[in-house]
Amino acid sequence: QWWFEPYTPESSAPHSLALKPANTEKVLDAGDDTVLISWRTQVGDALQRAKTQPYFIVRTGAPIRDMNGHTVGSFSHLIAKARWDTRLQVAQAELKDAAFSLMAPLRVVHAVGEVDKNDRVIPRVCLNNTTATDENTFTPTDVVAQAQIIGLADAPSMGTQSNLAIMDKGGVDGVNPNQTWFLVDVLSQEKRDALSVTRTRGQVELVKVFERYSLIRIQHSEREVMRGMYLQRAT
C-alpha cells in the first residue's frame, strides 16, 4: 500500500483534503474513528457523490533527495480507508454563486496504523494508483552499470516498513525494466565513479523507470539497506 510521488516544480504533490476530528475536543487517534473534511465545489451533485465514494487517508514521508540535494519526490503510505459516516448529520451550506462548501463526515472503516491529524484525505475517484508500468521511452545519453540508493520508504514517521527504494539512475542512463541489478558492498574503488571490486549482498527489482532515477523493490539483502548503498547491473 505504497506509491511514489515524483516531484515537479509545478505540482509537488497531489491535491488532498484537510483532516480534523469530528469532535474537536478529542485527539484524533484509533479510538476516535470519525473525521471531517471540507472543500469547495461547483459540481451540483457533489453531495450525493461524496456520500457514495470511498476515501483514502494517506501519509507522506520526508522528501527524497539526490546526492546533490535536489528533491526527486516522496513516498506515500495508505494509512486507512474511510466512508461517509451515516451516524452524523451535518448541515451543508446552500449553493451560492457557482460554488459552495461541502462538509463530509468520514468514518474510518479500516486502518493499518493510528490516524494522525496531519494525514491527508484523498477521494478514491481522485487517486490513480494503477499498477506501475513503464510507458515512457527514453533515449539514453549514457549506459551505466552502477548506481546508488538515494531514499527508502521505511521511514519511522510512516508508521510501518516497506521494501521500496529509489536509485539515482534512470532512463537517460540506460536503465530499463528488463535489467537485473544487485546490491553490493564496495571492496575497492579506484575513483569516485569506478567500483573495481564489489561483493554481492542482495538483489532488487525495477518497478518503474523515470527519466533520471528509478523506483526499485528490495527482493532480498544480507545486510541492512541504507541510503548511499551501491547497486551494480548484471552484465
Side-chain angles (χ1 to χ4, degrees):
Q1 304 294 327
W2 293 77
W3 61 92
F4 183 74
E5 299 175 0
Y7 171 82
T8 58
E10 297 80 12
S11 175
S12 60
H15 294 295
S16 57
L17 304 169
L19 176 151
K20 61 181 179 180
N23 181 344
T24 56
E25 295 179 356
K26 290 184 179 180
V27 176
L28 182 61
D29 57 25
D32 182 17
D33 63 354
T34 299
V35 297
L36 295 176
I37 58 174
S38 63
W39 69 91
R40 291 184 61 81
T41 179
Q42 297 181 0
V43 180
D45 63 347
L47 182 58
Q48 294 305 315
R49 292 190 183 188
K51 289 182 178 181
T52 59
Q53 289 293 326
Y55 297 82
F56 288 156
I57 299 176
V58 301
R59 184 171 303 165
T60 300
I64 303 293
R65 306 183 190 279
D66 62 20
M67 291 304 178
N68 296 317
H70 301 132
T71 301
V72 301
S74 60
F75 283 101
S76 285
H77 176 218
L78 177 61
I79 296 295
K81 297 179 181 180
R83 300 196 70 91
W84 188 281
D85 193 343
T86 57
R87 302 171 302 178
L88 271 67
Q89 302 298 320
V90 179
Q92 303 292 342
E94 295 183 1
L95 181 63
K96 295 181 180 179
D97 300 324
F100 67 99
S101 295
L102 179 65
M103 183 72 72
L106 303 183
R107 183 177 185 180
V108 178
V109 294
H110 177 71
V112 298
E114 185 175 295
V115 177
D116 185 86
K117 63 182 179 181
N118 295 318
D119 293 336
R120 303 180 297 148
V121 178
I122 302 177
R124 174 64 181 86
V125 70
C126 298
L127 180 64
N128 178 16
N129 67 334
T130 54
T131 301
T133 57
D134 198 282
E135 299 175 349
N136 296 323
T137 57
F138 303 100
T139 301
T141 58
D142 193 6
V143 180
V144 302
Q146 297 160 359
Q148 279 183 286
I149 289 179
I150 57 176
L152 301 162
D154 55 348
S157 62
M158 303 297 281
T160 186
Q161 291 188 340
S162 169
N163 58 351
L164 294 177
I166 291 291
M167 76 176 193
D168 66 350
K169 296 294 185 289
V172 297
D173 304 300
V175 177
N176 70 71
N178 298 319
Q179 295 171 347
T180 300
W181 285 77
F182 296 102
L183 292 162
V184 297
D185 279 344
V186 180
L187 304 182
S188 176
Q189 186 172 2
E190 295 181 358
K191 57 181 181 179
R192 179 179 179 182
D193 297 324
L195 310 181
S196 56
V197 181
T198 60
R199 173 182 292 154
T200 300
R201 290 296 192 181
Q203 187 171 343
V204 305
E205 172 192 5
L206 287 166
V207 177
K208 176 70 175 179
V209 177
F210 298 95
E211 183 180 8
R212 300 189 180 279
Y213 50 93
S214 301
L215 176 64
I216 62 175
R217 178 178 290 110
I218 311 297
Q219 293 184 312
H220 64 86
S221 177
E222 297 176 355
R223 51 164 291 189
E224 182 182 1
V225 180
M226 298 180 293
R227 170 181 164 86
M229 191 170 182
Y230 284 95
L231 300 114
Q232 187 162 298
R233 177 169 54 85
T235 56

